[in-house]
């Protein structure tokens, strides 16, 4: 068990009149090596949740365990947690500050107190993992394209060699191709290194193709926590809270209503093609 | 002549190295000619860096063409004396909701444009009220913009342009930084402008779902117009769109994949209902 | 931490003072401050205290809230008092070790303390009851005569109001970048001054870049909405004096007349 949250609560603006329960009795277990999608609309508590996992926010009550240690214990090393649980913020390119990409990526490992050799080797490794073209290593990070900037920023967190990587809306503001490239790169990383990955998003379609499990947050509570196909079967409830299932879910339900024998729980385009072809084939008419 | 017209529009900018020496020229817009009729809903698609935003900034006279000409409502945008008339007639909404709201109260922000134009006080209030009502933000008129959601902020920005009584509105990726709920709000507000107020709309985006209702779509790639047509014509060319770094709605993609497997379906399916009906109809026929 | 400062903050409530024209409040505060330096005896300060108490009462701002805002300046106040107390030459009152308190010193120290306290309460009352927007509007109108001397009055007011709008946004941004760098192992809290100053680079560079980007975007958005300086601009909310404002001016002048008459008496 890598991360366990037990009855975690968090309140924004605690003593003011506008106190908001940002996390409401959240209990979760994130095992090693899982690829998890955390979905919710703006203000649902998803960003607050992930900031607890690396100790940037402290729960008002409840406990968080990382690899069997309570992170709120007095002698627990918060700095160690932050290197083990890497957090890539939304629009992470806004944190770039060094004169070239490579130095920026070295910032994290140097902060960990590693010597130059080790820090630089880690930076090379991280840049390679995010697929940054080598000719850009020594360019100013501010001159890169949007997608490349984001890669550089993600590499900056990867260079800390985290066991868990959390990405808060890593595709926000990218164009479709850029979005697919980043997501594919993350998936590849997860497959190759078996790293635990938490992907925060408000787009079901984006995560459906990649994740093993989806946690739906609403008003600070965990609303659903299951494999994608189970979560999407609640598409009507999801719509009520301002989220939508992937378009294929709607297509398959519309076909089912028209008498087709399709599997409505297919979540990706590929699966949908299979089940639609199957249904048509069974009717023996089309092919 | 249409309300917006460009002829052989070229925009080049100078690239400089660290010492400020000229390294070379980049052509952001390359010989673009288009003609938009009053009342049309136009969508411009393209990946980041395709030149679509640069093109948009010419319509509001924020940028001036390196070569070629842009006319807005018959006025040449490169003529200094027309600049303010053009900016009043062709309003512009930008991508980042935080960086275009000037007022500290919603209603004051909406009044900013008319104030600049020298509209009398009483009329400013009338314009602010009707504009906020048009985007469904009237009840928030006394709020601070900082407390609003992204979608609400963008609707305030649209109201701010609307209060200037423009003939056309250019929206430069107004939904890129919003969540799906906010995106829906903004797209609905934009459609209402076009349908109800009859304002010419130029919507720049890379979200394909948002252009389904457009009258015409232009797809840009490396500064040129690569495709042009109705949404249906555009969406029927799935492979070409993917080449241009764009994607198609999942329903269009699914229809396309089914076609490849030999299922007979019409080209360029846009909605869930269309696909379900087409499959059901095909099934009946046999 | 930045959020604890109440000085210069607006306190939202309904009151006559809140509704007053900002020019009345600005002018009144200025006259009030000047009056504090004209008094020669404690009767004058008594009059000022009564006036201040009346305004506080009318403003519906809790006295506790006003005092909370003063905490930040207690230190400054103490320094002034201590310096005046020990460093004023004159008739010796008490002498301990090398420190001497004189009669004149005691008098100046007490006067300074009273003056400063009343000055700070008075001016923070103005900001507590006036929205930043209203305040800039008022300043713009009051400084209009300076245009003759080529002072860019409208531009200054516009800059102030934009700054006020962007302060909360930039504070939020600072918080976000700080968190992002902490997540990359940055340490803003330990070490000596040099180390801490160095630690700020990863915070300040992105912050400046973001501020410039925002400024650029905003300038473009303003131009797109036909902004071209103060010339030919109309106002959505023009400042117009009403009955209560005239009454406000009257109260201020009555206070000034009474205060200065009794305050400058010599006994």
């Amino acid at each position: 068990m890598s991360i366990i949250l037990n009855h975690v609560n968090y309140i924004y603006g605690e003593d003011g009149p506008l106190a908001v329960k940002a996390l409401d009795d959240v209990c979760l277990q994130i095992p090693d090596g899982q690829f998890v999608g955390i979905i919710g609309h703006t203000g649902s508590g998803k960003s607050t949740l992930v900031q607890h996992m690396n100790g940037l926010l402290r729960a008002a009550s409840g406990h968080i365990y990382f690899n069997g240690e309570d992170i709120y214990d007095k002698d627990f090393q918060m700095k160690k947690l932050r290197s083990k649980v890497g957090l890539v913020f939304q629009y992470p390119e806004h944190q770039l500050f060094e004169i070239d990409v490579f130095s920026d990526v070295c910032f994290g490992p140097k902060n960990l107190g590693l010597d130059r050799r080790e820090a630089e080797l880690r930076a090379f490794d991280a840049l390679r993992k995010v697929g940054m073209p080598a000719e850009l290593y020594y360019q100013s990070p501010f001159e890169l394209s949007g997608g490349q900037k984001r890669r550089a920023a993600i590499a900056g967190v990867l260079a800390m060699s985290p066991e868990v990587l959390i990405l808060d809306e890593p595709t926000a503001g990218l164009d479709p191709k850029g979005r697919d490239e980043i997501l594919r790169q993350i998936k590849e990383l997860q497959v190759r290194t078996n790293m635990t990955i938490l992907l925060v998003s408000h787009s079901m379609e984006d995560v459906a193709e990649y994740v093993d499990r989806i946690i739906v947050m609403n008003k600070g509570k965990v609303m659903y926590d299951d494999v994608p196909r189970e979560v999407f079967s609640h598409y009507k409830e999801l719509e009520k809270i301002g989220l939508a299932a992937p378009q294929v879910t709607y297509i398959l339900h519309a076909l089912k209503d028209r008498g087709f024998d399709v599997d409505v729980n297919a979540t990706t385009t590929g699966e949908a093609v299979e089940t639609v072809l199957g249904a048509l084939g069974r009717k023996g008419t089309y092919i | 002549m249409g309300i917006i017209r460009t002829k052989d529009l070229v925009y080049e900018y100078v690239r400089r190295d660290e010492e400020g020496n000229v390294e070379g020229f980049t052509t952001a817009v390359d010989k673009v000619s288009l003609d938009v009729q009053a009342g049309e809903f136009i969508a411009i698609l393209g990946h980041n860096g395709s030149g679509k935003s640069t093109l948009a900034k010419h319509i509001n006279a924020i940028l001036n063409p390196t070569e070629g000409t842009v006319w807005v409502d018959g006025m040449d945008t490169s003529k200094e004396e027309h600049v303010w008339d053009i900016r009043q007639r062709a309003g512009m909404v930008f991508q980042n909701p935080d960086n275009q709201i000037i007022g500290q109260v919603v209603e004051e922000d909406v009044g900013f444009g008319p104030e600049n134009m020298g509209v009398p006080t009483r009329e400013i209030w009338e314009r602010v009220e009707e504009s906020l009502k048009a985007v469904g933000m009237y009840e928030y008129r006394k709020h601070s913009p900082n407390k609003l959601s992204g979608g609400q902020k963008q609707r305030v920005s649209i109201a701010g342009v609307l209060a200037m009584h423009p003939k056309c509105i250019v929206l430069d990726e107004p939904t890129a930084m919003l969540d799906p709920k906010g995106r829906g709000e903004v797209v609905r507000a934009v459609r209402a402008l076009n349908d109800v107020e009859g304002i010419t709309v130029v919507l720049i985006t890379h979200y394909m779902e948002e252009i389904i209702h457009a009258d015409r779509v232009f797809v840009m790639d490396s500064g040129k117009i690569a495709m042009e047509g109705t949404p249906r014509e555009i969406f029927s060319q799935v492979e070409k769109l993917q080449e241009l770094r764009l994607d198609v709605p999942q329903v269009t993609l699914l229809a396309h994949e089914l076609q490849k497997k030999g299922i007979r379906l019409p080209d360029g399916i846009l909605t869930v209902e269309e696909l379900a009906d087409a499959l059901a109809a095909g099934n009946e026929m046999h | 931490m930045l959020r604890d400062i109440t000085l210069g903050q607006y306190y939202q409530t309904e009151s006559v003072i809140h509704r007053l024209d900002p020019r009345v409040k600005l002018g009144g505060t200025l006259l009030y401050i000047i009056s504090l330096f004209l008094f020669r005896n404690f009767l004058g300060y008594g009059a000022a205290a009564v006036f201040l108490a009346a305004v506080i009462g009318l403003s519906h701002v809790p006295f506790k809230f006003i005092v909370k805002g003063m905490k930040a300046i207690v230190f400054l106040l103490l320094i002034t008092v201590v310096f005046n107390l020990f460093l004023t030459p004159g008739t010796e009152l008490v002498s301990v070790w090398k420190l001497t308190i004189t009669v004149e010193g005691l008098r100046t120290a007490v006067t300074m303390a009273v003056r400063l306290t009343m000055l700070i309460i008075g001016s923070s009352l103005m900001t507590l009851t006036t929205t930043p927007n209203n305040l800039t509007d008022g300043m713009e109108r009051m400084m209009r005569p300076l245009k003759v001397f080529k002072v860019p009055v409208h531009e200054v007011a516009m800059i102030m109001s934009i700054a006020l709008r962007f302060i909360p946004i930039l504070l939020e941004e600072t918080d976000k970048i700080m968190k992002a760098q902490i997540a990359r192992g940055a340490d803003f809290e330990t070490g000596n001054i040099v180390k801490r100053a160095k630690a700020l680079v990863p915070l300040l560079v992105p912050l400046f870049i973001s501020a410039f980007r925002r400024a650029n975007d905003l300038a473009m958005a303003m131009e797109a909405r036909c902004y071209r300086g103060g010339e030919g601009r109309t106002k959505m909310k023009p400042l117009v004096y009403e009955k209560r404002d005239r009454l406000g001016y009257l109260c201020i002048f009555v206070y000034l007349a009474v205060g200065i008459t009794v305050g400058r008496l010599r006994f």
Side-chain angles (χ1 to χ4, degrees):
Chain A
M1 278 295 162
S2 90
I3 299 179
I4 301 173
L5 279 78
N6 199 21
H7 299 291
V8 170
N9 286 287
Y10 184 79
I11 299 155
Y12 269 117
E14 193 145 11
D15 33 59
L18 298 164
V20 183
K21 249 192 166 179
L23 289 183
D24 190 354
D25 199 34
V26 172
C27 300
L28 285 173
Q29 294 165 24
I30 315 281
D32 284 332
Q34 211 172 39
F35 195 158
V36 185
I38 300 180
I39 313 282
H41 61 79
T42 312
S44 60
K46 56 191 196 305
S47 294
T48 310
L49 175 68
V50 293
Q51 287 184 35
H52 276 77
M53 292 184 183
N54 80 342
L56 279 172
L57 289 177
R58 196 191 165 91
S61 65
H63 288 274
I64 298 174
Y65 302 94
F66 178 69
N67 285 344
E69 281 182 89
D70 187 333
I71 68 164
Y72 297 143
D73 268 352
K74 267 208 191 79
D75 48 355
F76 183 81
Q77 289 277 318
M78 228 16 137
K79 216 167 169 175
K80 206 180 82 193
L81 175 73
R82 292 195 182 127
S83 71
K84 297 283 177 214
V85 182
L87 177 53
V88 180
F89 275 82
Q90 202 177 358
Y91 298 107
E93 57 274 23
H94 292 176
Q95 75 195 19
L96 300 170
F97 70 98
E98 275 284 8
I99 48 163
D100 62 37
V101 173
F102 184 75
S103 325
D104 204 279
V105 176
C106 285
F107 179 67
K110 277 187 183 153
N111 283 330
L112 295 179
L114 299 172
D115 60 40
R116 204 196 47 184
R117 189 185 64 94
E118 178 71 1
E120 290 190 348
L121 286 176
R122 279 198 185 185
F124 278 119
D125 189 48
L127 282 166
R128 201 173 36 79
K129 276 182 183 154
V130 297
M132 177 71 75
E135 64 268 23
L136 299 180
Y137 285 14
Y138 303 105
Q139 288 229 347
S140 162
F142 307 111
E143 280 164 16
L144 304 182
S145 73
Q148 302 291 25
K149 268 188 198 167
R150 197 152 297 184
R151 272 166 215 266
I154 295 173
V157 173
L158 271 182
M160 320 235 326
S161 303
E163 291 168 18
V164 180
L165 182 66
I166 305 174
L167 301 115
D168 194 352
E169 311 223 5
T171 61
L174 296 182
D175 64 15
K177 192 81 179 289
R179 179 197 66 204
D180 291 347
E181 281 168 4
I182 289 273
L183 288 174
R184 229 173 281 139
Q185 201 91 48
I186 294 167
K187 180 69 184 175
E188 205 185 300
L189 188 73
Q190 196 257 343
V191 171
R192 226 173 30 195
T193 62
N194 201 31
M195 194 184 272
T196 311
I197 292 185
L198 279 77
L199 187 70
V200 179
S201 174
H202 47 226
S203 166
M204 292 283 187
E205 265 157 64
D206 283 2
V207 302
E209 303 253 356
Y210 302 99
V211 301
D212 309 319
R213 167 186 175 190
I214 287 180
I215 296 169
V216 178
M217 294 294 294
N218 184 38
K219 290 183 182 159
K221 285 192 169 118
V222 175
M223 189 171 174
Y224 299 111
D225 177 5
D226 216 322
V227 293
R229 51 168 46 222
E230 287 301 320
V231 171
F232 295 150
S233 69
H234 301 286
Y235 71 106
K236 285 197 173 126
E237 287 85 352
L238 290 174
E239 223 162 69
K240 272 186 209 134
I241 61 163
L243 296 170
Q247 228 181 359
V248 288
T249 307
Y250 295 92
I251 300 166
L252 295 171
H253 278 277
L255 286 174
K256 183 119 194 158
D257 291 344
R258 285 167 177 75
F260 286 88
D261 179 26
V262 288
D263 172 16
V264 292
N265 290 329
T267 53
T268 63
T269 314
E271 285 170 21
V273 171
E274 289 303 309
T275 181
V276 171
L277 285 177
L280 293 171
R282 266 192 296 286
K283 291 219 170 181
T285 51
Y286 259 101
I287 300 163
Chain B
M1 185 154 86
I3 183 145
I4 302 165
R5 204 160 79 86
T6 73
K7 189 163 179 297
D8 299 326
L9 170 62
V10 175
Y11 183 77
E12 281 177 348
Y13 61 89
V14 184
R15 276 195 326 270
R16 287 175 195 279
D17 63 9
E18 277 155 32
E19 278 88 48
N21 302 318
V22 177
E23 271 189 335
F25 296 93
T26 302
T27 308
V29 177
D30 193 1
K31 292 227 153 105
V32 169
S33 298
L34 45 86
D35 196 348
V36 178
Q37 300 306 313
E40 265 191 306
F41 185 151
I42 299 289
I44 301 180
L45 284 171
H47 60 80
N48 290 346
S50 61
K52 57 190 194 306
S53 287
T54 313
L55 174 63
K57 286 180 187 125
H58 281 86
I59 302 173
N60 192 270
I62 291 175
L63 293 179
N64 271 326
T66 313
E67 278 169 41
T69 320
V70 180
W71 293 273
V72 172
D73 208 10
M75 293 176 287
D76 183 340
T77 61
S78 60
K79 297 258 160 55
E80 194 67 40
E81 68 265 28
H82 293 321
V83 166
W84 303 108
D85 282 331
I86 287 168
R87 290 193 181 153
Q88 183 262 314
R89 267 171 240 194
M92 185 134 184
V93 175
F94 298 89
Q95 186 186 84
N96 191 324
D98 278 322
N99 298 357
Q100 57 182 318
I101 296 183
I102 295 113
Q104 295 175 64
V105 182
V106 167
E107 61 181 13
E108 286 175 12
D109 184 70
V110 178
F112 181 75
E115 282 184 335
N116 292 334
M117 288 157 54
V119 175
T121 301
R122 184 204 289 266
E123 199 190 326
I124 297 180
W125 283 91
E126 286 164 12
R127 288 186 178 202
V128 168
E129 183 178 334
E130 72 189 25
S131 309
L132 280 171
K133 279 180 177 162
V135 297
M137 287 297 291
Y138 187 62
E139 55 186 304
Y140 293 93
R141 65 191 179 281
K142 300 280 179 201
H143 284 229
S144 155
N146 292 334
K147 299 270 156 68
L148 303 179
S149 74
Q152 290 172 329
K153 283 181 200 163
Q154 287 301 58
R155 277 148 71 201
V156 171
S157 296
I158 294 172
V161 171
L162 208 52
M164 296 169 70
H165 288 179
K167 289 192 177 171
C168 89
I169 294 189
V170 182
L171 302 107
D172 187 4
E173 297 195 42
T175 57
M177 298 179 77
L178 306 182
D179 67 3
K181 191 162 160 269
R183 247 188 270 160
E185 285 171 21
V186 171
V187 170
R188 270 193 300 279
V190 171
R191 281 187 67 195
L193 291 189
N194 185 244
D195 291 347
V196 183
E197 319 270 334
I199 293 173
T200 313
V201 168
V202 178
L203 176 66
I204 293 162
T205 183
H206 47 230
Y207 291 109
M208 301 299 256
E209 313 87 85
E210 294 173 2
I211 66 156
I212 291 171
H213 305 285
D215 297 316
R216 267 195 302 158
V217 179
F218 296 96
V219 182
M220 287 195 67
D221 185 51
S222 45
K224 292 192 175 71
I225 291 183
M227 293 165 83
E228 181 187 342
T230 62
R232 199 174 298 282
E233 285 161 9
I234 299 288
F235 282 137
S236 59
Q237 304 173 57
V238 174
E239 267 112 19
K240 179 117 193 249
L241 284 169
Q242 285 171 339
E243 252 172 55
L244 297 173
R245 295 178 58 113
L246 294 166
D247 61 5
V248 292
Q250 227 174 356
V251 58
T252 312
L253 190 63
L254 180 61
H256 180 72
E257 293 294 320
L258 289 170
Q259 276 181 326
K260 279 205 288 197
K261 301 274 180 193
I263 310 287
R264 261 164 293 152
L265 285 169
D267 277 342
I269 280 190
L270 299 177
T271 66
V272 170
E273 293 301 308
E274 264 178 51
L275 175 61
D277 287 343
L279 282 171
N283 216 11
E284 306 263 302
M285 266 163 49
H286 291 77
Chain C
M1 199 183 72
L2 289 163
R3 281 165 205 141
D4 295 338
I5 301 169
T6 52
L7 194 78
Q9 213 183 43
Y10 177 66
Y11 186 89
Q12 172 98 47
T13 186
E14 264 301 308
S15 85
V16 193
I17 306 290
H18 281 75
R19 278 197 302 269
L20 275 183
D21 190 290
R23 285 171 293 176
V24 179
K25 287 186 266 191
L26 274 164
T29 312
L30 196 68
L31 289 172
Y32 170 78
I33 290 172
I34 293 171
S35 79
L36 289 177
F37 288 89
L38 292 176
F39 298 146
R40 290 205 186 117
N41 62 39
F42 282 87
L43 278 179
Y45 292 107
V50 171
F51 179 71
L52 192 60
V55 179
I56 293 174
L58 284 172
S59 74
H60 295 177
V61 180
F63 189 61
K64 251 194 188 155
F65 195 85
I66 302 173
V67 175
K68 221 169 84 185
M70 290 206 43
K71 274 185 197 158
I73 358 198
V74 167
F75 186 64
L76 193 81
L77 202 66
L78 273 177
I79 290 183
T80 322
V81 169
V82 168
F83 270 79
N84 275 304
L85 198 58
F86 293 114
L87 298 178
T88 317
T91 336
E92 189 178 306
L93 192 68
V94 221
S95 183
V96 187
W97 186 48
K98 280 182 187 168
L99 300 172
T100 318
I101 297 177
T102 61
V103 180
E104 287 81 0
L106 187 65
R107 182 176 289 156
T108 352
V110 173
T111 319
M112 280 311 270
V114 171
R115 243 183 220 167
L116 279 178
T117 314
M118 288 170 105
L119 186 150
I120 291 160
I121 292 182
S123 42
S124 61
L125 201 59
M126 176 186 70
T127 52
L128 283 167
T129 59
T130 320
T131 59
N133 234 336
N134 236 325
L135 206 60
T136 41
D137 266 3
M139 285 173 129
E140 188 183 349
R141 267 310 286 276
M142 290 183 85
M143 295 195 304
R144 201 181 269 178
L146 294 178
K147 263 192 183 165
V148 183
F149 306 107
K150 298 250 159 40
V151 177
V153 175
H154 167 77
E155 284 73 11
V156 171
M158 182 56 86
I159 290 168
M160 277 176 63
S161 100
I162 288 173
L164 286 167
R165 150 124 177 84
F166 277 86
I167 284 168
I169 294 176
L170 287 176
L171 277 180
E172 203 174 293
E173 185 124 336
T174 312
D175 192 54
K176 220 192 91 186
I177 298 171
M178 209 157 170
K179 274 182 177 167
Q181 305 299 27
I182 291 174
R184 289 211 283 166
D187 186 351
F188 295 106
E189 272 147 18
T190 54
N192 57 29
I193 291 182
V194 180
K195 204 177 155 234
R196 278 201 207 191
K198 261 191 178 167
L200 285 179
V201 173
L203 174 66
L204 292 180
V205 172
L207 198 60
F208 274 110
I209 289 172
S210 146
F212 280 121
R213 194 183 47 232
R214 284 184 194 281
N216 203 13
D217 280 7
L218 191 72
M220 194 162 65
M222 285 171 75
E223 277 198 19
R225 283 164 77 183
C226 290
Y227 180 71
R228 53 195 129 160
E231 283 310 308
R233 238 179 147 251
T234 43
K235 284 259 172 199
M236 183 182 180
K237 296 177 176 173
L239 293 174
V240 185
Y241 282 128
E242 286 181 40
K243 202 175 147 201
R244 59 164 172 270
D245 301 313
R246 283 188 275 276
L247 214 65
Y249 274 129
L250 187 70
C251 290
I252 294 160
F253 285 119
V254 168
Y255 154 73
L256 275 181
V258 173
I260 292 173
T261 324
V262 299
R264 288 183 70 86
L265 288 175
R266 282 182 198 277
F267 299 107

